[in-house]
Amino acid sequence: MVDLFSQYGWAVDVAHFHDPAEEADYAQMGQLCDHLSIYRATTAEYAQRQGERLDDWCVPGFADLVERLVAVRKPDVVWSVLVYHSRVFLHLNSKFPIRVIDADNVFAGRRSTIEAAGIAYDWFSTTAAQELTALRRAHLVVAIQQKEAAHYKQIDGHLDVTVVPYAPKLNFLPPVPTKSLAFVGANNGENRSGLARFLQDAWPHVRAAHPDASLKVAGSICEVFEEQPRMTLLGVVDNLSSVFADVAIGLNTTPVGTGLKVKSVDTLAHGRPLVSTLAGIQGLEAFADGIRIAEDGREFAATLNALFSSPQKVAEMTDAVRQHATVLFSPSATFEPFESRLREMVADRKSAAV
C-alpha cells in the first residue's frame, strides 16, 4: 500500500510499532517511505497488549508519537492499520485530517471462531461492541474483501466502507509440466493445523499415486515441521518467484480464518492455479475456474491426484488464473477508484475549512 500511494504522488510517513517477535528491515522500510518513526515499547507496555479491550493493544506512548507526528508533518490522511490502532484518532481534530481504518480482518469473535476449529489462538480478538467503537472513529473504513465490507455495513449502516484488496504486482511465471506444489505461510495456528492435517491425511495418498510429486513449503511455518520424502522446507524467502518458478499448483490448507489469505493471492499473482479450502479463498470467488476446493485430506488427495493425471486441466486452470488476475489485481481495479475517492474527500474537507 505504501508503494502504491507513493506511485500515485502521495508523500507517505510511517509510524511503526516495533514487535520484537518479528523481524523488520527498518533500513528498507525507511527507503520505501518519506519519513519513518519507530516506537519501541517497554516490557510493561508489551504486557498490556492482551485481552479484548480495544485500546489496550495500542499503548499510550505510540498514540502520543502519532499525535506529535501529525502536529509536525500535518498530513491530509491518517491511516490506521488494524482496528486497535484507532486509538491514535482520539486526539486528532474531528474533521481533518481524514481518518481511515484499514480493518484487514473482522476481529469480533475471532478467537472463538478459530478455537472452535480446535486451533489455539494467541493474537488479538475483541467483541462486536469494541470493534464497532473502533470503526466509528474513522471517516472511512477499508475492508479487504466484499464479504467483510458487507458485514461492517450490516452492523452500522452509517459507516462509510470501501474495499481495497491485497493485490501484489503480477509476476506470471512460465508454466511448468511438473507434479509440484507450493505452500507458503507464517507460523500461526491455522497454518500449522492445516498443513499438519494435509501431510497426515492427503500427502501419503498423493505420493502413492504419483511418486514423482513434490511439495515446497516456504515461510516461518517451516520452523515447526520436518522434511519428508519429496517435501522441501525453504524457510523464509525474500522472493516468492523463486518458490513458484518450478511449481505447477499452489496450496492453501487453512481450515478457518477471516480476511483475505495472502498465500492464496500470491499463488494467483504468480499465475499458478490453487487448491484450497473454502476458508482459503474468501474474497477470491471470481477465480473459480482457476481454483479447486478441498476441505479434508480425502478431498485434497482426490483433487490433486486428478490434476496431476491431467496436465491439460492444469494448463486450462493456469490460463484462467492469468486472465482473471490481469483484470482483478490491476491497480486500476484495486486502487485507483479508492485513491480518487480519498483525494476528493481531502479536497472537500479543505474547502469546507476555508
Side-chain angles (χ1 to χ4, degrees):
M1 192 65 75
V2 170
D3 186 45
L4 281 170
F5 271 115
S6 297
Q7 289 178 33
Y8 280 75
W10 294 73
V12 181
D13 299 342
V14 175
H16 179 76
F17 185 89
H18 174 73
D19 187 342
E22 297 181 359
E23 295 184 5
D25 186 342
Y26 291 130
Q28 182 182 35
M29 286 178 62
Q31 293 175 357
L32 295 175
C33 62
D34 293 270
H35 182 86
L36 174 64
S37 297
I38 302 167
Y39 186 82
R40 298 179 185 273
T42 65
T43 301
E45 285 176 319
Y46 283 120
Q48 171 189 319
R49 302 175 80 236
Q50 57 182 314
E52 294 185 329
R53 273 179 43 86
L54 182 74
D55 291 340
D56 286 346
W57 284 75
C58 181
V59 302
F62 181 68
D64 291 343
L65 169 64
V66 174
E67 184 179 5
R68 293 194 301 271
L69 286 172
V70 169
V72 173
R73 307 287 291 181
K74 295 179 171 51
D76 295 320
V77 177
V78 175
W79 181 287
S80 168
V81 178
L82 304 175
V83 291
Y84 57 73
H85 283 138
S86 66
R87 182 176 187 166
V88 305
F89 295 154
L90 296 182
H91 299 295
L92 303 183
N93 183 288
S94 62
K95 300 295 184 182
F96 199 79
I98 303 295
R99 303 189 301 272
V100 179
I101 285 182
D102 184 348
D104 187 71
N105 278 272
V106 171
F107 285 99
R110 183 174 167 87
R111 178 182 299 279
S112 60
T113 298
I114 291 177
E115 290 182 345
I119 301 170
Y121 184 74
D122 59 0
W123 192 38
F124 175 68
S125 178
T126 191
T127 65
Q130 284 279 290
E131 186 162 57
L132 184 55
T133 294
L135 299 175
R136 285 173 171 169
R137 291 170 174 172
H139 297 122
L140 181 64
V141 175
V142 175
I144 201 167
Q145 46 126 315
Q146 291 289 350
K147 183 178 179 180
E148 297 194 351
H151 167 76
Y152 297 139
K153 291 294 290 184
Q154 182 179 21
I155 60 177
D156 186 344
H158 296 291
L159 292 174
D160 192 349
V161 183
T162 190
V163 176
V164 182
Y166 167 69
K169 291 181 179 179
L170 299 180
N171 185 17
F172 295 155
L173 300 169
V176 291
T178 60
K179 299 177 182 180
S180 51
L181 305 171
F183 179 98
V184 180
N187 183 11
N188 59 44
E190 304 96 286
N191 285 336
R192 290 192 297 270
S193 175
L195 184 57
R197 292 175 184 176
F198 174 83
L199 292 174
Q200 175 180 302
D201 299 334
W203 188 231
H205 299 287
V206 175
R207 290 274 295 112
H210 300 275
D212 53 342
S214 63
L215 169 64
K216 287 183 177 181
V217 180
S220 58
I221 186 69
C222 295
E223 297 168 1
V224 293
F225 285 91
E226 295 182 356
E227 288 192 349
Q228 300 184 17
R230 304 288 295 176
M231 168 185 167
T232 304
L233 301 177
L234 301 175
V236 177
V237 297
D238 294 328
N239 184 359
L240 287 179
S241 296
S242 65
V243 178
F244 287 106
D246 58 355
V247 163
I249 300 170
L251 191 66
N252 189 341
T253 60
T254 186
V256 66
T258 57
L260 190 68
K261 302 301 178 291
V262 171
K263 67 176 70 63
S264 296
V265 176
D266 283 334
T267 296
L268 301 172
H270 282 87
R272 298 306 192 223
L274 176 69
V275 177
S276 172
T277 59
L278 280 171
I281 65 154
Q282 292 178 21
L284 298 170
E285 292 80 4
F287 285 86
D289 47 357
I291 294 173
R292 292 293 180 270
I293 303 299
E295 292 287 63
D296 56 30
R298 179 185 60 80
E299 292 182 2
F300 268 106
T303 300
L304 290 169
N305 284 338
L307 290 175
F308 285 159
S309 297
S310 178
Q312 179 60 35
K313 178 56 66 176
V314 175
E316 292 171 0
M317 291 175 66
T318 299
D319 289 341
V321 165
R322 292 173 182 232
Q323 292 174 18
H324 291 311
T326 298
V327 175
L328 298 174
F329 289 165
S330 68
S332 61
T334 61
F335 186 73
E336 284 183 9
F338 162 74
E339 192 270 343
S340 296
R341 170 112 186 278
L342 200 56
R343 285 186 183 273
E344 292 174 0
M345 291 178 70
V346 170
D348 290 345
R349 297 294 173 114
K350 285 184 173 180
S351 297
V354 175

